[in-house]
């Protein structure tokens, strides 16, 4: 996870604090939603509230950093899966992880998107990262003859988002919906 550039390098201890705050906030937001108390996030991290505010002057800036970090992780996961699994298995596993991400992070993403211009650098960076990840998985699976050629990267993201939203209150239905979706995407 990259800290935003301020023009000068961040000291190692400041970078560690930044990364730890983002990780703690990610956990707190997953448990309590985007309104989790900032004081609790600072406490979980083991830093004072002043340190949190030095890195993140507002809740919105922290939410943006957590969202960006989670998209970086999900995107990186696509490339890891492609290195360690067959194209078809990587495609399926990542779709499952994307659905879980949507179920776990929808309130955070909704809060962020409500207050963020779609032309903002963070929104554009996240969109590019996740679309590139989906494109890499899809291309590998299509090249292997496993997935239909008329599917586009944004389609894959829409499928994952749709299943995640549909199963948010009934997570036990996600596996069944993913299986049906994959049956429709496969070439045979």
């Amino acid at each position: 996870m990259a800290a935003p550039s301020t023009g000068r390098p961040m000291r190692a201890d400041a970078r560690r604090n930044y990364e730890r705050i983002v990780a703690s906030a990610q956990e707190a937001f997953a448990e309590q939603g985007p309104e989790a108390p900032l004081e609790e996030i600072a406490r979980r991290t083991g830093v004072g509230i002043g340190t949190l505010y030095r890195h993140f002057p507002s809740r919105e800036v922290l939410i943006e950093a957590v969202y960006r970090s989670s998209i970086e992780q999900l995107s990186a996961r696509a490339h890891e899966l492609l290195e360690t699994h067959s194209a078809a298995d990587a495609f399926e596993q990542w779709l499952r992880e994307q659905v879980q991400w949507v179920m776990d992070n929808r309130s955070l993403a909704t809060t962020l998107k409500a207050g963020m211009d779609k032309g903002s650098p963070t929104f554009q960076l996240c969109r590019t990262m996740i679309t590139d990840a989906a494109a890499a998985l899809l291309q590998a699976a299509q090249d292997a003859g496993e997935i239909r050629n008329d599917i586009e990267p944004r389609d894959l993201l829409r499928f994952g988002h749709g299943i995640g939203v549909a199963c948010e209150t009934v997570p036990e239905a996600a596996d069944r919906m993913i299986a049906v979706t994959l049956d429709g995407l496969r070439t045979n």
Side-chain angles (χ1 to χ4, degrees), residues 125-136:
L125 174 66
C126 290
R127 184 180 187 134
T128 298
M129 281 190 298
I130 202 72
T131 301
D132 289 351

Side-chain angles (χ1 to χ4, degrees), residues 114-128:
M116 182 188 291
D117 175 10
K118 292 195 179 199
S120 80
T122 295
F123 187 84
Q124 292 301 317
L125 174 66
C126 290
R127 184 180 187 134
T128 298

